[in-house]
Coordinates of all heavy atoms in Angstrom, one line a residue:
M1 N -3.9 -14.4 -6.6 CA -3.6 -13.0 -6.2 C -3.4 -12.1 -7.4 O -2.6 -12.4 -8.3 CB -2.3 -13.1 -5.3 CG -2.1 -11.8 -4.5 SD -0.5 -12.0 -3.6 CE -0.9 -13.5 -2.7
S2 N -4.1 -11.0 -7.4 CA -4.0 -10.1 -8.6 C -2.8 -9.1 -8.4 O -2.4 -8.8 -7.3 CB -5.3 -9.3 -8.7 OG -5.6 -8.7 -7.5
E3 N -2.4 -8.6 -9.6 CA -1.3 -7.6 -9.6 C -1.9 -6.3 -9.1 O -3.1 -6.1 -9.2 CB -0.8 -7.4 -11.0 CG 0.1 -8.6 -11.4 CD 0.7 -8.3 -12.8 OE1 0.8 -7.1 -13.2 OE2 1.1 -9.3 -13.4
F4 N -1.1 -5.4 -8.6 CA -1.6 -4.2 -8.1 C -0.7 -3.0 -8.6 O 0.5 -3.2 -8.6 CB -1.5 -4.2 -6.5 CG -2.3 -3.1 -5.9 CD1 -3.6 -3.2 -5.6 CD2 -1.6 -1.9 -5.6 CE1 -4.3 -2.2 -5.0 CE2 -2.3 -0.8 -5.0 CZ -3.7 -1.0 -4.7
D5 N -1.4 -2.0 -9.0 CA -0.6 -0.8 -9.5 C -1.3 0.4 -8.9 O -2.5 0.6 -9.2 CB -0.6 -0.8 -11.0 CG 0.3 0.3 -11.5 OD1 0.6 1.3 -10.8 OD2 0.8 0.2 -12.7
V6 N -0.6 1.3 -8.2 CA -1.3 2.4 -7.6 C -1.8 3.4 -8.7 O -2.8 4.1 -8.5 CB -0.3 3.2 -6.7 CG1 0.0 2.4 -5.4 CG2 0.9 3.6 -7.4
H7 N -1.2 3.3 -9.9 CA -1.7 4.2 -10.9 C -3.0 3.8 -11.5 O -3.7 4.6 -12.1 CB -0.6 4.3 -12.0 CG 0.7 4.7 -11.5 ND1 0.9 6.0 -11.1 CD2 1.9 4.1 -11.4 CE1 2.1 6.2 -10.7 NE2 2.8 5.0 -10.8
D8 N -3.4 2.5 -11.2 CA -4.8 2.1 -11.6 C -5.8 2.5 -10.6 O -7.0 2.3 -10.8 CB -4.8 0.6 -11.7 CG -4.0 0.1 -12.8 OD1 -3.7 0.8 -13.8 OD2 -3.6 -1.1 -12.8
H9 N -5.4 3.1 -9.4 CA -6.3 3.4 -8.4 C -6.2 4.9 -7.9 O -6.2 5.2 -6.7 CB -6.0 2.5 -7.2 CG -6.2 1.0 -7.5 ND1 -7.5 0.5 -7.7 CD2 -5.3 0.1 -7.8 CE1 -7.3 -0.8 -8.1 NE2 -6.1 -1.1 -8.1
R10 N -6.0 5.7 -8.9 CA -5.8 7.2 -8.6 C -6.9 7.8 -7.7 O -6.7 8.7 -6.9 CB -5.6 8.0 -9.9 CG -4.2 7.8 -10.5 CD -3.4 9.0 -10.2 NE -2.1 8.9 -10.7 CZ -1.0 8.9 -10.0 NH1 -1.0 9.0 -8.7 NH2 0.2 8.8 -10.6
H11 N -8.1 7.3 -8.0 CA -9.3 7.9 -7.4 C -9.5 7.4 -6.0 O -10.1 8.0 -5.1 CB -10.5 7.8 -8.2 CG -10.4 8.5 -9.6 ND1 -10.3 9.8 -9.7 CD2 -10.2 7.9 -10.8 CE1 -10.1 10.1 -11.0 NE2 -10.1 9.0 -11.7
E12 N -9.1 6.1 -5.8 CA -9.3 5.5 -4.5 C -8.2 5.8 -3.5 O -8.5 5.7 -2.3 CB -9.4 4.0 -4.6 CG -10.6 3.5 -5.4 CD -10.2 3.1 -6.9 OE1 -9.3 3.8 -7.4 OE2 -10.9 2.2 -7.4
L13 N -7.0 6.1 -4.0 CA -5.9 6.3 -3.1 C -5.4 7.7 -3.0 O -5.3 8.4 -4.0 CB -4.7 5.4 -3.6 CG -4.9 3.9 -3.5 CD1 -3.8 3.2 -4.2 CD2 -4.9 3.4 -2.0
K14 N -5.2 8.2 -1.8 CA -4.7 9.5 -1.6 C -3.2 9.4 -1.1 O -2.9 8.7 -0.2 CB -5.5 10.3 -0.5 CG -5.0 11.6 -0.2 CD -5.8 12.2 1.0 CE -5.2 13.6 1.4 NZ -5.9 14.0 2.6
Q15 N -2.3 10.1 -1.8 CA -0.9 10.0 -1.5 C -0.6 10.8 -0.3 O -0.9 12.0 -0.3 CB 0.0 10.3 -2.6 CG 1.5 10.1 -2.3 CD 2.3 10.0 -3.6 OE1 2.0 10.6 -4.6 NE2 3.3 9.1 -3.5
L16 N 0.0 10.2 0.8 CA 0.3 11.0 2.0 C 1.8 11.3 2.0 O 2.1 12.4 2.5 CB 0.0 10.1 3.2 CG -1.5 9.6 3.4 CD1 -1.6 8.8 4.6 CD2 -2.4 10.8 3.5
R17 N 2.6 10.4 1.5 CA 4.1 10.7 1.5 C 4.7 10.1 0.3 O 4.3 9.0 -0.2 CB 4.7 10.1 2.8 CG 5.0 11.0 3.9 CD 5.8 10.4 5.0 NE 4.9 9.8 6.0 CZ 5.3 8.7 6.7 NH1 6.4 8.2 6.6 NH2 4.4 8.2 7.6
D18 N 5.8 10.7 -0.2 CA 6.6 10.1 -1.3 C 8.0 10.5 -1.1 O 8.4 11.7 -1.1 CB 6.0 10.7 -2.6 CG 6.8 10.1 -3.8 OD1 7.6 9.2 -3.6 OD2 6.5 10.5 -4.9
S19 N 8.9 9.5 -0.9 CA 10.3 9.8 -0.7 C 11.1 9.1 -1.9 O 12.2 8.8 -1.7 CB 10.8 9.3 0.6 OG 10.6 7.9 0.7
G20 N 10.5 9.0 -3.0 CA 11.2 8.4 -4.2 C 11.1 6.9 -4.3 O 10.3 6.4 -5.1
R21 N 11.8 6.2 -3.4 CA 11.8 4.8 -3.4 C 10.6 4.2 -2.5 O 10.3 3.0 -2.6 CB 13.1 4.2 -2.9 CG 14.3 4.7 -3.6 CD 14.5 4.0 -4.9 NE 14.9 2.6 -4.8 CZ 15.0 1.7 -5.7 NH1 14.6 2.1 -7.0 NH2 15.4 0.5 -5.5
T22 N 10.0 5.0 -1.7 CA 8.9 4.6 -0.9 C 7.8 5.6 -1.0 O 8.0 6.8 -1.2 CB 9.3 4.4 0.6 OG1 9.6 5.7 1.2 CG2 10.5 3.5 0.8
S23 N 6.6 5.1 -0.8 CA 5.4 6.0 -0.7 C 4.3 5.5 0.2 O 4.3 4.3 0.4 CB 4.9 6.3 -2.1 OG 4.5 5.1 -2.8
L24 N 3.5 6.4 0.7 CA 2.5 6.0 1.6 C 1.1 6.5 1.1 O 1.1 7.7 0.7 CB 2.8 6.6 3.0 CG 1.8 6.3 4.1 CD1 1.8 4.8 4.4 CD2 2.1 7.1 5.4
W25 N 0.1 5.7 1.1 CA -1.2 6.0 0.5 C -2.3 5.7 1.5 O -2.2 4.7 2.2 CB -1.4 5.2 -0.8 CG -0.3 5.3 -1.8 CD1 0.9 4.6 -1.7 CD2 -0.3 6.1 -3.0 NE1 1.7 5.0 -2.8 CE2 1.0 5.9 -3.6 CE3 -1.2 6.9 -3.5 CZ2 1.3 6.5 -4.8 CZ3 -0.9 7.6 -4.7 CH2 0.4 7.3 -5.3
E26 N -3.3 6.5 1.4 CA -4.5 6.3 2.3 C -5.6 5.8 1.4 O -5.8 6.3 0.3 CB -4.9 7.6 2.9 CG -6.1 7.5 3.8 CD -6.4 8.8 4.5 OE1 -6.9 9.8 3.8 OE2 -6.2 9.0 5.7
N27 N -6.3 4.8 1.9 CA -7.4 4.2 1.1 C -8.7 5.0 1.4 O -9.2 5.0 2.5 CB -7.6 2.7 1.6 CG -8.7 2.0 0.8 OD1 -9.3 2.5 -0.2 ND2 -8.9 0.8 1.1
R28 N -9.1 5.8 0.4 CA -10.3 6.7 0.6 C -11.6 6.0 0.2 O -12.7 6.6 0.5 CB -10.1 7.9 -0.3 CG -8.9 8.7 0.0 CD -9.0 10.1 -0.6 NE -9.1 10.0 -2.1 CZ -9.0 11.0 -2.9 NH1 -8.8 12.2 -2.4 NH2 -9.0 10.8 -4.2
E29 N -11.6 4.9 -0.5 CA -12.8 4.4 -1.1 C -13.1 2.9 -0.6 O -13.8 2.2 -1.3 CB -12.7 4.4 -2.6 CG -12.5 5.8 -3.2 CD -13.8 6.7 -3.1 OE1 -14.9 6.1 -2.9 OE2 -13.6 7.9 -3.2
E30 N -12.6 2.5 0.5 CA -12.8 1.2 1.0 C -12.5 0.1 0.0 O -13.2 -0.9 -0.2 CB -14.3 1.0 1.5 CG -14.6 2.1 2.6 CD -15.8 1.6 3.5 OE1 -16.7 0.9 2.9 OE2 -15.7 1.9 4.7
M31 N -11.4 0.3 -0.7 CA -10.9 -0.6 -1.6 C -10.4 -1.9 -0.9 O -9.9 -1.8 0.2 CB -9.7 0.0 -2.4 CG -9.3 -0.8 -3.7 SD -8.1 0.1 -4.7 CE -7.3 1.1 -3.6
A32 N -10.6 -3.1 -1.5 CA -10.2 -4.3 -0.9 C -8.7 -4.6 -1.1 O -8.1 -4.3 -2.2 CB -11.0 -5.5 -1.5
C33 N -8.1 -5.2 -0.1 CA -6.7 -5.6 -0.2 C -6.6 -6.7 -1.2 O -7.4 -7.7 -1.2 CB -6.3 -6.1 1.2 SG -4.8 -7.0 1.3
P34 N -5.6 -6.7 -2.1 CA -5.5 -7.8 -3.2 C -5.0 -9.1 -2.6 O -5.1 -10.1 -3.3 CB -4.5 -7.2 -4.2 CG -3.7 -6.2 -3.4 CD -4.7 -5.6 -2.3
V35 N -4.6 -9.1 -1.3 CA -4.1 -10.3 -0.7 C -5.2 -11.0 0.0 O -5.5 -12.2 -0.3 CB -2.9 -10.0 0.2 CG1 -2.4 -11.3 0.8 CG2 -1.8 -9.3 -0.5
C36 N -5.9 -10.4 0.9 CA -6.9 -11.1 1.8 C -8.3 -10.6 1.4 O -9.2 -11.2 1.9 CB -6.6 -10.8 3.2 SG -6.9 -9.1 3.8
E37 N -8.4 -9.6 0.6 CA -9.7 -9.1 0.1 C -10.5 -8.4 1.2 O -11.7 -8.0 1.0 CB -10.5 -10.2 -0.5 CG -9.8 -10.7 -1.8 CD -10.6 -11.8 -2.5 OE1 -11.6 -12.2 -2.0 OE2 -10.2 -12.0 -3.7
D38 N -9.9 -8.1 2.4 CA -10.6 -7.2 3.4 C -10.2 -5.8 3.0 O -9.1 -5.5 2.4 CB -10.0 -7.5 4.8 CG -10.6 -8.8 5.3 OD1 -11.6 -9.3 4.8 OD2 -10.0 -9.3 6.3
V39 N -11.0 -4.8 3.4 CA -10.7 -3.4 3.2 C -9.4 -3.1 4.0 O -9.3 -3.5 5.1 CB -11.9 -2.5 3.6 CG1 -11.5 -1.1 3.6 CG2 -13.1 -2.8 2.7
F40 N -8.5 -2.3 3.4 CA -7.3 -1.9 4.1 C -7.4 -0.4 4.4 O -8.3 0.3 3.8 CB -6.0 -2.2 3.4 CG -5.9 -1.5 2.0 CD1 -5.2 -0.3 1.9 CD2 -6.4 -2.1 0.9 CE1 -5.1 0.3 0.7 CE2 -6.3 -1.5 -0.4 CZ -5.6 -0.3 -0.5
S41 N -6.6 0.1 5.3 CA -6.7 1.6 5.6 C -5.6 2.3 4.9 O -5.8 3.4 4.4 CB -6.6 1.8 7.1 OG -5.4 1.3 7.7
R42 N -4.3 1.7 4.9 CA -3.2 2.4 4.3 C -2.4 1.4 3.5 O -2.3 0.2 3.8 CB -2.3 3.1 5.3 CG -3.0 4.3 5.9 CD -2.1 5.1 6.8 NE -2.8 6.3 7.2 CZ -2.1 7.3 7.9 NH1 -0.9 7.2 8.1 NH2 -2.8 8.4 8.3
L43 N -1.7 2.0 2.5 CA -0.7 1.2 1.7 C 0.6 1.8 1.7 O 0.8 3.0 1.5 CB -1.2 1.1 0.3 CG -0.2 0.6 -0.8 CD1 0.2 -0.8 -0.5 CD2 -0.8 0.8 -2.2
F44 N 1.7 1.0 2.1 CA 3.0 1.5 2.1 C 3.7 0.7 1.0 O 3.7 -0.5 0.9 CB 3.7 1.2 3.4 CG 5.2 1.6 3.5 CD1 5.5 3.0 3.5 CD2 6.2 0.7 3.6 CE1 6.8 3.4 3.6 CE2 7.5 1.1 3.7 CZ 7.8 2.5 3.6
L45 N 4.3 1.5 0.0 CA 5.0 0.9 -1.2 C 6.5 1.2 -1.1 O 6.9 2.3 -0.9 CB 4.4 1.5 -2.4 CG 5.0 1.2 -3.8 CD1 5.2 -0.3 -4.1 CD2 4.2 1.9 -4.9
T46 N 7.3 0.1 -1.2 CA 8.7 0.3 -1.2 C 9.4 -0.4 -2.3 O 9.0 -1.5 -2.7 CB 9.4 -0.1 0.2 OG1 10.8 0.1 0.1 CG2 9.1 -1.5 0.5
R47 N 10.5 0.2 -2.9 CA 11.3 -0.5 -3.9 C 12.7 -0.6 -3.3 O 13.7 -0.8 -4.1 CB 11.3 0.3 -5.2 CG 10.0 0.3 -5.9 CD 9.9 1.0 -7.2 NE 8.6 1.2 -7.6 CZ 7.9 0.2 -8.3 NH1 8.5 -0.9 -8.6 NH2 6.7 0.4 -8.7
Q48 N 12.9 -0.4 -2.0 CA 14.2 -0.5 -1.4 C 14.5 -2.0 -1.0 O 13.5 -2.7 -0.8 CB 14.2 0.3 -0.1 CG 14.1 1.8 -0.3 CD 14.1 2.6 0.9 OE1 14.6 3.7 0.9 NE2 13.6 2.0 2.0
A49 N 15.7 -2.4 -1.0 CA 16.1 -3.8 -0.7 C 15.7 -4.0 0.8 O 15.2 -5.1 1.1 CB 17.6 -4.0 -0.9
G50 N 15.9 -3.1 1.7 CA 15.6 -3.2 3.1 C 14.8 -2.0 3.5 O 15.2 -0.9 3.2
T51 N 13.7 -2.2 4.2 CA 12.9 -1.1 4.6 C 12.4 -1.4 6.0 O 12.0 -2.5 6.4 CB 11.6 -1.0 3.7 OG1 12.0 -0.7 2.4 CG2 10.7 0.1 4.2
T52 N 12.4 -0.3 6.8 CA 11.8 -0.4 8.2 C 10.4 0.1 8.0 O 10.1 1.2 7.5 CB 12.6 0.6 9.1 OG1 14.0 0.1 9.2 CG2 12.0 0.5 10.5
F53 N 9.5 -0.8 8.5 CA 8.1 -0.4 8.4 C 7.8 0.8 9.2 O 8.4 1.0 10.3 CB 7.2 -1.5 8.9 CG 7.2 -2.8 8.0 CD1 6.8 -4.0 8.5 CD2 7.7 -2.7 6.7 CE1 6.8 -5.1 7.7 CE2 7.7 -3.8 5.9 CZ 7.3 -5.0 6.4
P54 N 6.8 1.6 8.8 CA 6.4 2.8 9.6 C 5.8 2.3 10.9 O 5.4 1.2 11.0 CB 5.3 3.5 8.8 CG 5.4 2.9 7.4 CD 6.1 1.6 7.5
E55 N 5.9 3.2 11.9 CA 5.3 2.8 13.2 C 3.8 2.5 13.1 O 3.2 3.1 12.2 CB 5.4 4.0 14.2 CG 6.7 4.0 14.9 CD 6.8 5.1 16.0 OE1 5.7 5.3 16.7 OE2 7.8 5.7 16.1
N56 N 3.4 1.6 13.9 CA 2.0 1.2 13.8 C 1.4 0.9 15.2 O 2.2 0.8 16.1 CB 1.8 0.0 12.8 CG 2.3 -1.3 13.4 OD1 1.6 -1.9 14.2 ND2 3.5 -1.6 13.1
D57 N 0.2 0.8 15.3 CA -0.5 0.6 16.5 C -1.0 -0.9 16.7 O -2.0 -1.1 17.3 CB -1.7 1.5 16.7 CG -2.6 1.4 15.5 OD1 -2.4 0.5 14.7 OD2 -3.5 2.3 15.4
G58 N -0.2 -1.8 16.2 CA -0.6 -3.2 16.3 C -1.6 -3.7 15.2 O -2.2 -4.7 15.3
A59 N -1.7 -2.9 14.1 CA -2.6 -3.3 13.0 C -2.1 -4.5 12.3 O -0.9 -4.9 12.4 CB -2.7 -2.1 12.1
R60 N -3.0 -5.2 11.6 CA -2.6 -6.3 10.8 C -2.1 -5.8 9.4 O -2.6 -4.9 8.9 CB -3.9 -7.2 10.6 CG -3.7 -8.5 9.8 CD -4.9 -9.4 10.0 NE -6.1 -8.8 9.6 CZ -6.6 -8.9 8.3 NH1 -5.9 -9.6 7.4 NH2 -7.7 -8.3 8.0
F61 N -1.1 -6.5 8.9 CA -0.5 -6.2 7.6 C -0.6 -7.3 6.6 O -0.5 -8.5 7.0 CB 0.9 -5.8 7.7 CG 1.2 -4.5 8.5 CD1 1.5 -4.6 9.8 CD2 1.0 -3.3 7.9 CE1 1.7 -3.4 10.6 CE2 1.2 -2.1 8.6 CZ 1.6 -2.2 10.0
C62 N -0.7 -7.0 5.3 CA -0.5 -8.0 4.2 C 0.6 -7.5 3.4 O 0.7 -6.3 3.1 CB -1.8 -8.1 3.4 SG -3.2 -8.9 4.2
L63 N 1.4 -8.4 2.9 CA 2.5 -8.1 2.0 C 2.3 -8.6 0.6 O 1.8 -9.8 0.5 CB 3.8 -8.7 2.5 CG 4.6 -8.0 3.6 CD1 5.8 -8.8 4.0 CD2 5.1 -6.6 3.1
L64 N 2.5 -7.8 -0.4 CA 2.4 -8.3 -1.8 C 3.7 -7.9 -2.5 O 4.1 -6.8 -2.5 CB 1.2 -7.6 -2.5 CG 1.0 -7.9 -4.0 CD1 0.6 -9.3 -4.2 CD2 0.0 -6.9 -4.6
R65 N 4.4 -8.9 -3.1 CA 5.6 -8.7 -3.8 C 5.4 -8.7 -5.3 O 4.7 -9.6 -5.7 CB 6.7 -9.7 -3.4 CG 8.1 -9.3 -3.8 CD 9.1 -10.1 -3.1 NE 9.0 -11.5 -3.4 CZ 9.5 -12.1 -4.4 NH1 10.2 -11.5 -5.3 NH2 9.3 -13.4 -4.7
D66 N 5.9 -7.7 -6.0 CA 5.7 -7.7 -7.4 C 7.0 -7.1 -8.1 O 7.2 -5.9 -8.1 CB 4.5 -6.8 -7.8 CG 4.3 -6.7 -9.3 OD1 4.8 -7.5 -10.0 OD2 3.6 -5.7 -9.7
G67 N 7.8 -8.0 -8.6 CA 9.1 -7.6 -9.1 C 10.0 -7.0 -8.0 O 10.2 -7.7 -7.0
D68 N 10.5 -5.8 -8.2 CA 11.3 -5.1 -7.2 C 10.5 -4.3 -6.2 O 11.1 -3.7 -5.3 CB 12.4 -4.3 -7.9 CG 11.8 -3.0 -8.5 OD1 10.5 -3.1 -8.8 OD2 12.5 -2.1 -8.8
A69 N 9.2 -4.4 -6.3 CA 8.4 -3.6 -5.4 C 7.7 -4.5 -4.3 O 7.3 -5.6 -4.6 CB 7.3 -2.8 -6.2
V70 N 7.6 -3.9 -3.1 CA 6.8 -4.6 -2.1 C 5.7 -3.7 -1.6 O 5.9 -2.5 -1.4 CB 7.7 -5.0 -0.8 CG1 6.9 -5.5 0.3 CG2 8.7 -6.0 -1.2
Y71 N 4.5 -4.2 -1.6 CA 3.3 -3.5 -1.2 C 2.9 -4.0 0.2 O 2.7 -5.2 0.4 CB 2.2 -3.7 -2.1 CG 2.4 -3.3 -3.6 CD1 3.2 -4.0 -4.4 CD2 1.9 -2.1 -4.0 CE1 3.4 -3.6 -5.7 CE2 2.1 -1.6 -5.3 CZ 2.9 -2.4 -6.2 OH 3.1 -2.0 -7.4
L72 N 2.8 -3.0 1.1 CA 2.4 -3.4 2.5 C 1.1 -2.8 2.8 O 0.9 -1.5 2.8 CB 3.5 -2.8 3.5 CG 3.2 -3.0 5.0 CD1 3.3 -4.5 5.3 CD2 4.2 -2.2 5.8
F73 N 0.1 -3.6 2.9 CA -1.3 -3.1 3.2 C -1.6 -3.2 4.7 O -1.4 -4.3 5.3 CB -2.3 -4.0 2.4 CG -2.2 -3.9 0.9 CD1 -1.3 -4.8 0.3 CD2 -2.9 -3.0 0.2 CE1 -1.2 -4.7 -1.1 CE2 -2.7 -2.9 -1.1 CZ -1.9 -3.7 -1.8
R74 N -2.0 -2.1 5.3 CA -2.3 -2.1 6.7 C -3.8 -2.1 6.9 O -4.6 -1.3 6.2 CB -1.8 -0.8 7.3 CG -2.2 -0.6 8.7 CD -1.7 0.7 9.2 NE -2.6 1.2 10.3 CZ -2.3 2.2 11.1 NH1 -1.2 2.8 11.0 NH2 -3.2 2.6 12.0
H75 N -4.3 -3.0 7.8 CA -5.7 -3.1 8.1 C -6.1 -2.4 9.4 O -5.2 -2.3 10.2 CB -6.1 -4.5 8.1 CG -6.1 -5.2 6.8 ND1 -7.1 -5.0 5.8 CD2 -5.2 -6.0 6.2 CE1 -6.7 -5.7 4.7 NE2 -5.6 -6.3 4.9
Ligands
ZN101 ZN1 -5.0 -7.9 3.5

């Protein structure tokens, strides 16, 4: 599993929301999820100890933990 940094993907990801400790990104370029390697639609990034996931419509998620950050990829 590879490390992931949104700053390495400025052109592929469009930021939809940023609340400081959490942010929401849209995948504009059919980038592959670093966990399962399928294309994902959105990425939710949190550095909070406890986070309630955004509402979803039954989509599949992958979680990637990196230090104090958790990356939630929605398919
Ligand atoms: Zn995935």
Side-chain angles (χ1 to χ4, degrees):
M1 197 182 300
S2 53
E3 287 183 20
F4 192 89
D5 187 337
V6 292
H7 301 293
D8 293 338
H9 300 284
R10 282 260 178 239
H11 300 292
E12 294 101 327
L13 293 170
K14 176 185 176 186
Q15 187 160 33
L16 301 177
R17 261 188 269 153
D18 183 6
S19 61
R21 303 282 291 170
T22 67
S23 53
L24 180 66
W25 306 78
E26 183 177 70
N27 186 2
R28 297 194 299 189
E29 301 287 342
E30 303 206 323
M31 194 171 27
C33 168
V35 182
C36 73
E37 299 185 346
D38 287 345
V39 173
F40 63 93
S41 58
R42 289 191 177 187
L43 165 62
F44 180 68
L45 169 57
T46 179
R47 294 178 190 278
Q48 297 180 148
T51 299
T52 301
F53 293 163
E55 272 187 41
N56 71 84
D57 54 7
R60 184 166 58 90
F61 293 100
C62 289
L63 277 176
L64 175 68
R65 192 165 61 86
D66 179 18
D68 66 342
V70 171
Y71 297 79
L72 177 69
F73 297 89
R74 171 184 154 166
H75 290 283

